[in-house]
Amino acid sequence: MNCDLLVIGAGGAGLAAAVTAAEAGSSAIILDRLRVTGGATVFAKGIFAVGSKFQKELGIDISADEAFLQHMFYTHYLANARLVRAIIDKSADTIHWLDERGTEFIKPAELYPGAPRTWHTMKREGKSITKALEKIAKELGVPIHFRTRAKKLIMKDGRVAGVTAEDKDGNQVEYTAKAVVIASGGFANNEEMMEKYTQAGKHTIEMAFGQVAKEGDGVLMAWEAGAAKEGTSVIQRGLAGVMKKKEVLKEAPKKSQFDKHITAILKQPTFWVNANGERFFNECEFSFAHIGNAMSKQPGQVLFNMFDDDYRKYMEEQGTDVGLGVFAPKGTKIPSVVEAIQASIDKDEAWVCNSLEELAEKAGMDYETLKENVDEYNASCDKGHDDLFAKNPEYMKPVRTPPFYAIKGHPTHVGTLGGIKINHTTEVIREDSATGLDVIPGLYAAGNVAGGMYGDTYDASHTLGLTLAFAVNSGRIAGESALKYMGK
Ligand SMILES: Cc1cc2nc3c(=O)[nH]c(=O)nc-3n(C[C@H](O)[C@H](O)[C@H](O)COP(=O)(O)OP(=O)(O)OC[C@H]3O[C@@H](n4cnc5c(N)ncnc54)[C@H](O)[C@@H]3O)c2cc1C
C-alpha cells in the first residue's frame, strides 16, 4: 500500500495531522490498532488556548506572551522554548480550526478555584474533536485502517520510507510513504517502560485512567530508527484516586454516582497525612500535578484524607468546598458520606472510627505521630493561620469531633508525556546529532509520544488543557511540516 503521508494512531494528534495533509491535497492513510478512533483524546474535557474568540467574547485576556513566560518559568526553562512558543501561538487558531470543522465548544472554563480560563470545554468531551475530524478525514477519502498495529519504520538511504504493520489477521503489511507521523500516544500501558523511565513506577499502571493499547510502540520504533529521547520521565498526574471495590468496577455505570461522590470527597481540602500520619502538603494547592508530585515523594505514594463528623455533616448539608470539574461542581451536597464510602471502597481503604487511636491502628499509622499532627493542625485552625504550609484559612476546619473518617488516596495518571525528541516543527531529532539539530528526514512525532513541552513535570496550574492542545496543535504542525518536506 502506498500514500504520501502515513499516520500511526487515530487520536487527536494523528487525526489532526492526516486532515491537515489531506486538505492540502496529499494522500494519507491512518493506522490504528484499536477498532475505533479517539484514543485517550476522547476522555479529555478541555483544550488549552489563549486569544480564542470564545475567550474574547467573555473578556478573558491572557496573552500568548504571558502564557509562554509562565510556562517557561514553571518548567525552569527545561522545556523546549521554541516548541512551547509554536504550540501556544497556534492554540487560538486551532480552536477556530476545530470549531469550523464541527467541534462543539462550550466555554473556556476554570478547572479549580483561581485557575486561568484557558481550558476550552467541549460537548461530548474529546469525542467532539475526534468524531468531527474522523468525518472530515472520511469525506476527504483518507482510509483509516483499524486493528492494524504499526510495528517498524521502513528506512531507505537514511530517510523514512514507510511502516511495517500487522493487520487484524496477523498478516504483515508494508505501507510505503513519503513521510510518517508517529501519533500513537505514549507508553502508559507498558509496565516495563513505566518502571524504567518514570518515577511513578509499576504500581500506578492500575490507576492509569483512559489508557488502552499505549504500549510505547511508536516511541520504541522511533528510537530503533535512531531518534533521540526526550521527556521520558514525565507523566500527566491526575487526582488522587480510590481503590474501588471489584464489584463496583464491574458495574461501573450503575454505581457511577458513588464514584463521583467519593472522588469529590477525596478532593476536599480537609486534613491530609501520609502513611506515617504526618501532614505533608498544603491541602489548598489544587493543581493535581502538584498533589501528584507531592504524593510521589511519600511512603507508598499514598495520602490519607481525614475529617471529623462536623465536616461530614458540612459536606452533606452545605456541600463541597471544591468542585470536581463538571461532574460535581463546588457546593455539591454529598447525599451520604458513609454510604458513598461503603458503596465504592473496600474496607481496608477507608475507615470510620470513634477515636484517633483506633483510626491510626486501622490505617497502619503511628498513633503518636498522627495525634501530634492533628493537634498541631487543630491549633492552627483555632489561630486562623497555618504556620506549617500557609493553607488558606477559609478551608481550615479542625479534626476534633468523633467519629473520625479517613480515605486512602492512590496516585493516578492519564498518560505519559514524552519519549521522542522533536524540534518546533515536530521533526524527529537524531540521537547521534552532535548539534541536536539533525533530523530523521520524513519522520514526525506528535502528541503524547513526543517530549519537550514540560521539562521535568506536567503543569496543571497555568496552562490547563495543554496536553490535548499539544496533541492537536503538534498534529497540525506535523501535517504542515510533512507537506513542506514532500514539496506540496
Ligand atoms: C481521563 C483523561 C482525561 C484527560 N483530560 C484532559 C483534559 O481535560 N485536557 C487535556 O489537555 N488533556 C487531557 N487528557 C490528556 C489528553 O487526552 C491526551 O494528552 C491526548 O488526547 C493525547 O492525544 P494523542 O493523539 O497523542 O494520543 P491518543 O488520543 O491516545 O491516540 C493514540 C492512538 O494511537 C493508537 N495506537 C497506539 N499504538 C499504535 C500502533 N502501534 N499502531 C497503530 N495505532 C496505535 C491508539 O490506539 C490510539 O487510538 C486526559 C486524558 C485522560 C485519559
Side-chain angles (χ1 to χ4, degrees):
M1 256 168 274
N2 183 37
C3 62
D4 290 334
L5 182 67
L6 193 282
V7 177
I8 305 171
L15 286 163
V19 167
T20 301
E23 284 184 342
S26 281
S27 62
I29 297 177
I30 309 176
L31 312 182
D32 202 290
R33 60 180 286 191
L34 299 178
R35 293 163 187 273
V36 286
T37 60
T41 302
V42 299
F43 295 97
K45 280 141 205 74
I47 175 167
F48 164 90
V50 283
S52 76
K53 64 177 184 181
F54 300 111
Q55 286 167 315
K56 286 186 181 148
E57 276 164 17
L58 294 173
I60 301 164
D61 185 18
I62 307 167
S63 70
D65 281 354
E66 240 176 292
F68 169 76
L69 290 171
Q70 275 175 345
H71 187 75
M72 291 310 297
F73 185 75
Y74 182 89
T75 63
H76 304 147
Y77 280 77
L78 290 167
N80 177 341
R82 279 180 180 271
L83 179 63
V84 172
R85 188 75 210 204
I87 300 299
I88 289 176
D89 278 356
K90 206 174 180 66
S91 63
D93 183 65
T94 288
I95 298 292
H96 307 149
W97 186 82
L98 289 170
D99 182 45
E100 282 157 18
R101 282 158 187 74
T103 297
E104 292 177 275
F105 286 102
I106 306 172
K107 63 173 180 185
E110 65 174 25
L111 188 55
Y112 49 81
R117 291 166 72 183
T118 58
W119 196 55
H120 293 63
T121 53
M122 301 151 289
K123 283 185 192 157
R124 298 200 305 151
E125 303 174 355
K127 253 193 193 153
S128 188
I129 292 179
T130 54
K131 286 295 168 201
L133 294 182
E134 180 181 355
K135 184 164 172 273
I136 291 180
K138 283 188 179 149
E139 284 165 6
L140 292 166
V142 177
I144 305 179
H145 293 182
F146 291 108
R147 297 172 69 194
T148 304
R149 182 174 181 180
K151 289 279 188 176
K152 194 176 168 66
L153 292 166
I154 302 170
M155 303 295 292
K156 222 180 213 171
D157 304 327
R159 294 174 176 269
V160 166
V163 165
T164 306
E166 190 177 287
D167 73 11
K168 62 178 176 4
D169 302 315
N171 301 315
Q172 299 293 306
V173 187
E174 270 203 7
Y175 291 84
T176 52
K178 292 181 186 140
V180 171
V181 175
I182 302 177
S184 53
F187 55 87
N189 301 114
N190 184 323
E191 207 172 291
E192 201 183 309
M193 288 179 81
M194 286 299 289
E195 175 94 17
K196 184 164 177 190
Y197 296 109
T198 76
Q199 285 166 2
K202 252 201 239 177
H203 64 284
T204 53
I205 280 246
E206 56 201 346
M207 297 299 246
F209 293 117
Q211 301 298 310
V212 183
K214 304 294 156 42
E215 293 182 60
D217 294 355
V219 173
L220 292 170
M221 70 181 90
W223 289 348
E224 193 190 357
K229 296 184 175 78
E230 171 110 73
T232 47
S233 65
V234 188
I235 60 169
Q236 185 171 10
R237 295 196 188 273
L239 297 168
V242 290
M243 214 49 110
K244 290 174 195 137
K245 283 183 178 173
K246 285 197 181 62
E247 59 267 37
V248 171
L249 291 173
K250 267 192 227 135
E251 298 175 50
K254 219 165 112 195
K255 300 261 174 97
S256 60
Q257 184 191 351
F258 291 106
D259 295 344
K260 174 176 88 181
H261 287 141
I262 203 69
T263 311
I265 295 170
L266 195 63
K267 204 182 165 196
Q268 297 312 301
T270 55
F271 166 75
W272 298 0
V273 291
N274 63 18
N276 297 333
E278 191 177 47
R279 194 164 165 245
F280 66 96
F281 193 67
N282 165 12
E283 299 88 344
C284 281
E285 174 49 66
F286 299 118
S287 160
F288 40 86
H290 294 171
I291 299 170
N293 282 347
M295 282 173 78
S296 75
K297 300 287 174 197
Q298 306 312 312
Q301 301 197 10
V302 293
L303 67 78
F304 294 79
N305 173 317
M306 289 179 54
F307 51 94
D308 71 1
D309 206 48
D310 289 342
Y311 198 76
R312 190 265 310 157
K313 269 191 220 139
Y314 176 83
M315 283 191 280
E316 290 176 357
E317 289 164 17
Q318 313 289 316
T320 52
D321 279 327
V322 178
L324 181 66
V326 288
F327 297 110
K330 177 178 155 85
T332 297
K333 290 182 184 158
I334 307 294
S336 164
V337 168
V338 174
E339 209 178 304
I341 290 174
Q342 285 169 347
S344 55
I345 305 182
D346 278 327
K347 63 178 182 327
D348 58 351
E349 295 281 321
W351 304 267
V352 184
C353 300
N354 286 322
S355 70
L356 283 176
E357 196 162 11
E358 185 192 346
L359 198 148
E361 195 196 320
K362 289 203 167 141
M365 290 168 197
D366 175 56
Y367 168 64
E368 293 304 328
T369 310
L370 178 64
K371 174 88 173 52
E372 205 177 289
N373 277 264
V374 168
D375 288 347
E376 183 185 51
Y377 182 71
N378 286 349
S380 297
C381 293
D382 294 343
K383 193 162 80 167
H385 186 264
D386 175 16
D387 294 342
L388 194 56
F389 297 135
K391 180 174 177 174
N392 182 344
E394 192 188 325
Y395 299 103
M396 292 182 63
K397 303 195 174 118
V399 184
R400 200 165 267 151
T401 312
F404 301 104
Y405 303 76
I407 301 173
K408 194 170 179 180
H410 294 262
T412 68
H413 74 100
V414 294
T416 57
L417 301 177
I420 306 171
K421 184 173 172 110
I422 58 171
N423 63 18
H424 63 288
T425 61
T426 74
E427 293 168 293
V428 172
I429 303 291
R430 296 187 62 86
E431 195 190 10
D432 59 8
S433 171
T435 58
L437 296 173
D438 302 298
V439 301
I440 299 177
L443 186 61
Y444 304 85
N448 280 11
V449 290
M453 280 298 286
Y454 301 99
D456 59 4
T457 180
Y458 154 70
D459 178 19
S461 25
H462 303 105
T463 49
L464 283 164
L466 192 60
T467 46
L468 179 57
F470 178 63
V472 181
N473 283 284
S474 63
R476 287 185 72 201
I477 294 171
E480 289 161 4
S481 300
L483 283 167
K484 209 165 153 195
Y485 170 76
M486 296 186 291
K488 303 250 176 181

